[in-house]
Amino acid sequence: MGSLTDKYCIVGVGETPHMRPSNRTTLSMACEAVSKAVADAGLKLSDIDGMTSYQIGDSTTSPHVATALGMRLNYAVDILGGGSSGEALVAHAIGLIEAGYCKTMVIFRAMNGRSGRRMGGQTPGGPIPVAVAEGDGQFNMGWGWTTPAQRFGMSAMRYLRDTGCTTRAFAEIAVAHRYHASLNPKAIHRSPITIEDHQRSRWIVKPFRLLDCCQETDVSVAIVVTSRERAFDLRHPPVFIMGGYARTLTDSPQWNYSRDEIHYVAGNYGWKRAFGMAGISHKDVDFISCYDAFTFTTLIQLEANGFCGKGEAGEFVKGGRLRIDRELPSNLSGGHLSEGYTHGVQMVIENVRQLRHRADDACPGWAEGRHTYDRKAGCRQLRKADICCGMGWGWENMASCLILRGIAA
Amino acid sequence: MSGEVETTRKPVPAADELTRPFWDAARAGRLVIQRCSACGYYNHPPRNFCDACLARELAFTPVSGRGAVFSFTVMHQRDVAGFENDAPFINIVVEIAEQPMLMMVANLPIGERERVRIGAPVEVCFEDRGDGVAIPQFRII
Ligand SMILES: [Zn+2]
């Protein structure tokens, strides 16, 4: 086990509703999410002395949020990044608290991911006019190859050819995550879908269909991290941070196809360290979360993090294996595909709620941890939710991971 | 999704001190790739240090312009600046013949939709984008 394993905990989570559009500023949403996460922990805003966030030039910053909420911080830094950054900022928090720079930290992400800047560079009025392609852009923008769907679609097409996997494996992921969203009152898309619905949906970027792509939303999310000594006094049972890796890169990170093997994505470099730090093996994991910007990104993360062998993910997910009450439930809130799009943090939030046994579902007693486990009645709490492996993805070449446990494990 | 939408201009590569020889050659109808003087490794996109041996001496060298489709996508959304009215359009990543995993992005005409496949042999051609800018493209041979 790592020297800091179980020494730090996630004690508070909070979010704004997924909206399209929010008609709010990222500052307003961030203040709400931060306040909710701090209240969820049973803390006051004045108990928080560190704040971090990540963004891609599309959000407010920690100093602005602190000012708006009347907080005086000992540490405030905002980093540049998208997916895989939330898990990495948890690692930052551990280091900062351990080193004595602050005591209790809040991490947030706020984005008008639908009505503001979208990941493909579009704005509400259409694409941003681009006159010049600079730097790395010189070698992709001129051919119109810019959006995440196009980028990951290129990897996915090659993956299908190399492994013999078909897009029905993509459908398995869309169907499982949508089923979980059907049990989540907060999700944007709650109607269950079938494999055939996926196969019939229109092309976005071949090999991706509409039902392979995530739901861009306007949202803010926040989590509170502190040391175990402080965690025991708070409102909920603590969720312990067992291990992880933080924005691990592949070689040749700026040009993801000029490598020995394109399917060897960043997670491959990290998972042994994460599981070694946590002191567990894959069979100890009760459930997972995967960055599902696209169905394919979930598929490849299962391989990259050692849940199955190379090229085996298509077989692995067959027959609803990722569904609740099956072998390895994945993205229990519905994920980016069906709940909404938060650049990864919502998965951490859902994992924390599951590990506390307090999934905010249709069960009247969920807040006290009383669940029916009746899926037809809208319960989405796992019966056994002791250890979770959360996998974050930036690109093929960047990944994070966070292994968490509840008090029962 | 019918009818023409207002389109922005296709992005123009802004050559910098590292990449200028690549774009100068493209304008002259030649495909050049940085080759390491120390170990012979080809590097693309252009960089300051050789990917294989970290040597600094990288010389732009003419290549055959032949290769094979490594992977491809067909973009159906009108989401990409300058390409609003091109959708659906094909993007390919070409593995250049000189070296395994030596990759370059390009387009194929949408008419090649039924013919494009991974492994299809291609050769370079050049597309004039006006104002003295040409970009390498590829066609199936
Ligand atoms: Zn070299």
Side-chain angles (χ1 to χ4, degrees), chain A residues 289-302:
Chain A
S289 63
C290 288
Y291 195 93
D292 56 348
F294 302 92
T295 51
F296 169 71
T297 58
T298 289
L299 203 67
I300 197 80
Q301 285 172 89
L302 291 168

Side-chain angles (χ1 to χ4, degrees), chain A residues 133 138 142 154 204 206 259, chain B residues 12 19 23 71 74 76 101 129:
Chain A
Q138 290 173 71
M154 200 66 86
I204 298 295
K206 193 178 177 181
R259 306 202 308 265
Chain B
V12 176
T19 65
W23 294 114
S71 192
V74 185
H76 287 254
M101 300 302 275
R129 284 279 172 89

Side-chain angles (χ1 to χ4, degrees), chain B residues 6 11-12 26 31 33 37 63 70-71 74 76 79 83 96 102 105 108 110 113 117 119 124-125 136-138:
Chain B
E6 195 173 331
V12 176
L31 186 64
I33 292 183
S37 307
V63 292
F70 178 79
S71 192
V74 185
H76 287 254
D79 275 355
F83 293 77
I96 303 291
L102 179 60
V105 173
L108 284 177
I110 192 62
R113 196 180 191 159
R117 60 175 177 82
V124 74
C125 52
Q137 291 284 23
F138 287 81

Side-chain angles (χ1 to χ4, degrees), chain B residues 35-43 49-58:
Chain B
R35 190 169 196 193
C36 177
S37 307
C39 77
Y41 193 80
Y42 288 95
N43 295 271
F49 301 90
C50 172
D51 245 15
C53 76
L54 299 180
R56 283 167 170 274
E57 292 71 37
L58 303 173

